[in-house]
Amino acid sequence: MNPVTPAIQTHELSKIYDNGRGCRNITLTIGQGEAFGFLGPNGAGKSTFVKTLVGLVKPSGGAGSLLGHPIGSLEARQRIGYLPELYRYPEWLSGEEVMKMHAGLLGIKGEEAQKRIRNGLDEVGIGRRGTDRVKQYSKGMQQRLGLACALLGDPDILFLDEPSSAMDPVGRREVRELLLELKQRGKTLFLNSHLMEDVETVCDQMALMLNGDMIRGGSVEEMLKVKVRWRFKVGGFSPVLLEWLQEESGLNIGAAYPEKDSEAEWDAPVWLEAELENEDQAGRLNMLIVEQGMTLYESAMQREKLEDWFVQTVSGRDQRGERR
């Protein structure tokens, strides 16, 4: 049985501008139906890499393919949808007219075009406001329109550069749900985003770029190292009980004491925190807390957030971003 052709594959792909910026020697493989998150500070080279993949700029070196076709080729471009970060639609056109213009560029006409335009506007949440002029759309609405245009040709690979950055929390959630639905339908998603929750919720694989170089890559789970910490809110606590809990459980348990003049005053609840391997350990710790007469108000698991991982990874590294 022949292996499935990767959706996106690059080998030492580079695009270097005259000022020395761009992206260098990027090698990655993204399978069909996967969602890939591309992270990095402003100026890291993410958008340059995407523009190279979709054929808007020619690479300086290396090679790449989309579904087995060379990047920039007609065969590759026919299989993709692209929502750039910076775009402008004629403000005097309606949303439907913008979609109709894109349908014409794709060679979609007649009843098929009308059907796709209507379904596309409904899918991204514009609906009847498709007859409104673009100048009446908020930035978030324009992003929805851009997403509808990117989906108009029913692409196999969808490149999205900050697809929900200007939306309110409700809009961002709706876009995340749409992306998850597209992934379930077998679409390959390449997502550039500063919104860590989008990547953490939607993506299977991810990579981090810094100063034009891809410095880390792998599955989201691998990148986060699946660090799981548990927090326990307890009453009737004292430092002596903390020592007993540590000895009895064999765990390293920390305590956030209430802000009082003396640790002898224990009227307020105390938060205990421990890194655990599984829920069984959490259950045993719950039992020990109650067994010693303490009141257990709350226990909850807290996975390491992607935002924390991102900050820790780039912290202390030289960055050439917007603040330079």
Side-chain angles (χ1 to χ4, degrees):
M1 183 175 180
N2 294 327
V4 177
T5 302
I8 303 170
Q9 191 166 38
T10 67
H11 178 69
E12 297 187 352
L13 188 64
S14 301
K15 174 59 182 179
I16 308 298
Y17 295 106
D18 292 339
N19 61 6
R21 295 197 175 189
C23 56
R24 291 180 294 273
N25 303 321
I26 307 299
T27 297
L28 58 81
T29 299
I30 302 171
Q32 294 186 37
E34 289 186 350
F36 183 86
F38 214 37
L39 301 175
N42 291 330
K46 305 187 304 297
S47 292
T48 295
F49 183 62
V50 172
K51 289 176 182 177
T52 306
L53 288 176
V54 301
L56 290 177
V57 298
K58 292 184 178 180
S60 306
S65 63
L66 305 180
L67 294 166
H69 304 290
I71 56 174
S73 66
L74 178 61
E75 294 83 358
R77 287 185 282 126
Q78 287 176 329
R79 308 285 294 275
I80 67 175
Y82 174 45
L83 174 62
E85 181 181 12
L86 300 175
Y87 57 90
R88 293 291 185 272
Y89 298 126
E91 63 178 17
W92 59 88
L93 294 180
S94 68
E96 288 182 353
E97 288 169 339
V98 170
M99 291 281 282
K100 186 176 180 180
M101 178 179 66
H102 281 78
L105 294 172
L106 291 166
I108 306 170
K109 301 178 182 179
E111 293 183 3
E112 180 63 20
Q114 289 300 319
K115 177 182 176 182
R116 293 199 188 193
I117 290 170
R118 184 170 55 253
N119 291 342
L121 292 172
D122 288 341
E123 191 171 37
V124 300
I126 293 180
R128 294 183 179 180
R129 289 205 60 191
T131 57
D132 292 351
R133 303 298 173 187
V134 170
K135 65 180 179 181
Q136 297 174 308
Y137 287 178
S138 65
K139 177 61 177 175
M141 285 287 288
Q142 291 185 41
Q143 281 189 299
R144 290 174 184 266
L145 179 59
L147 182 57
C149 290
L151 290 168
L152 190 58
D154 193 24
D156 297 304
I157 306 175
L158 193 60
F159 292 94
L160 303 174
D161 203 343
E162 299 292 346
S164 59
S165 59
M167 295 182 184
D168 59 26
V170 174
R172 288 198 295 269
R173 173 173 289 184
E174 290 174 350
V175 169
R176 281 197 299 271
E177 291 174 351
L178 175 57
L179 295 180
L180 287 170
E181 180 184 337
L182 291 169
K183 189 170 75 167
Q184 289 176 353
R185 283 157 46 184
K187 305 294 185 185
T188 301
L189 308 178
F190 191 107
L191 182 64
N192 267 9
S193 182
H194 289 104
L195 299 175
M196 303 297 167
E197 189 175 358
D198 288 355
V199 175
E200 194 167 1
T201 303
V202 175
C203 295
D204 310 295
Q205 305 286 327
M206 56 178 274
L208 175 64
M209 281 197 73
L210 190 67
N211 298 338
D213 299 314
M214 193 174 78
I215 61 173
R216 293 194 66 180
S219 72
V220 174
E221 186 172 312
E222 288 171 348
M223 293 298 98
L224 294 179
K225 299 178 182 177
V226 199
K227 290 183 178 178
V228 180
R229 300 191 70 82
W230 281 76
R231 300 189 75 206
F232 306 84
K233 186 178 182 181
V234 301
F237 185 78
S238 73
V240 174
L241 291 174
L242 177 61
E243 294 176 6
W244 181 86
L245 279 175
Q246 289 177 328
E247 291 178 2
E248 192 69 20
S249 66
L251 299 171
N252 183 18
I253 305 170
Y257 296 121
E259 295 182 1
K260 292 181 176 292
D261 295 334
S262 170
E263 289 187 358
E265 303 177 31
W266 297 109
D267 297 331
V270 174
W271 281 100
L272 304 181
E273 189 173 279
E275 187 168 328
L276 307 180
E277 295 180 2
N278 50 54
E279 293 185 352
D280 290 341
Q281 289 184 332
R284 172 165 168 72
L285 202 49
N286 285 339
M287 182 189 70
L288 292 174
I289 289 170
V290 174
E291 187 178 284
Q292 286 301 305
M294 290 178 277
T295 303
L296 179 62
Y297 295 108
E298 180 182 343
S299 65
M301 179 177 65
Q302 293 189 322
R303 290 185 180 273
E304 182 181 11
K305 293 296 183 181
L306 187 55
E307 182 176 356
D308 298 330
W309 174 89
F310 179 88
V311 172
Q312 292 170 8
T313 303
V314 303
S315 179
R317 295 175 180 262
D318 182 47
Q319 299 178 36
R320 68 181 186 201
E322 291 180 346
R323 290 171 291 181
R324 291 280 174 172

